[in-house]
Amino acid sequence: MRYALALDLVDDAQRIAEYEQAHERIWPEVRDHLRAQGVLDMEIYRLGTRLFMVMEVDPAVYSVQAMAEASLANPVIQRWETLMWTYQAPTPWTPAGEKWVFMDRIFSLASQ
């Protein structure tokens, strides 16, 4: 199963560069956490301050709620998220208190 998510970055060239550098090699605990939650692959793309994430998950393992609960229970993930939030900003469409927002697919060439 594939999900697309969006988030913005703080509009500051230095902080954007730091964010990209942090993602050149994420912390091993973050990588292991994602895989344990059923994330098979994840890519992040950037255009200006807008981020676009593609997440491939194992539907037999992945659950939005279970991943959120596991993230809250893991102090290393909480440290990562706190650090990342210094670079990130909600999109204009992000509900209060949320970060990455699931996007709606509006087109698929395969279905044409």
Side-chain angles (χ1 to χ4, degrees):
M1 180 160 268
R2 179 182 307 135
Y3 293 103
L5 299 94
L7 181 65
D8 284 348
L9 290 173
V10 173
D11 192 3
D12 178 275
Q14 177 63 36
R15 290 169 91 183
I16 290 172
E18 291 171 7
Y19 182 82
E20 288 187 0
Q21 184 177 13
H23 284 80
E24 287 177 11
R25 179 70 60 184
I26 62 172
W27 299 351
E29 299 90 347
V30 174
R31 178 201 60 219
D32 295 346
H33 169 76
L34 292 169
R35 290 182 176 156
Q37 296 304 311
V39 178
L40 304 173
D41 195 18
M42 179 182 283
E43 297 177 327
I44 300 175
Y45 299 86
R46 180 177 71 83
L47 176 65
T49 59
R50 179 70 32 93
L51 297 175
F52 169 66
M53 178 194 299
V54 179
M55 192 168 62
E56 296 280 345
V57 302
D58 178 348
V61 178
Y62 178 79
S63 156
V64 173
Q65 182 174 343
M67 186 165 175
E69 290 171 3
S71 296
L72 288 172
N74 186 322
V76 175
I77 300 305
Q78 288 305 298
R79 279 198 343 260
W80 173 265
E81 291 298 336
T82 298
L83 174 61
M84 291 303 106
W85 197 237
T86 66
Y87 306 113
Q88 298 166 333
T91 72
W93 309 279
T94 302
E98 294 187 27
K99 287 177 74 168
W100 288 98
V101 177
F102 287 90
M103 300 174 75
D104 295 323
R105 184 176 78 175
I106 63 166
F107 174 78
S108 168
L109 182 60
S111 67
Q112 299 293 311

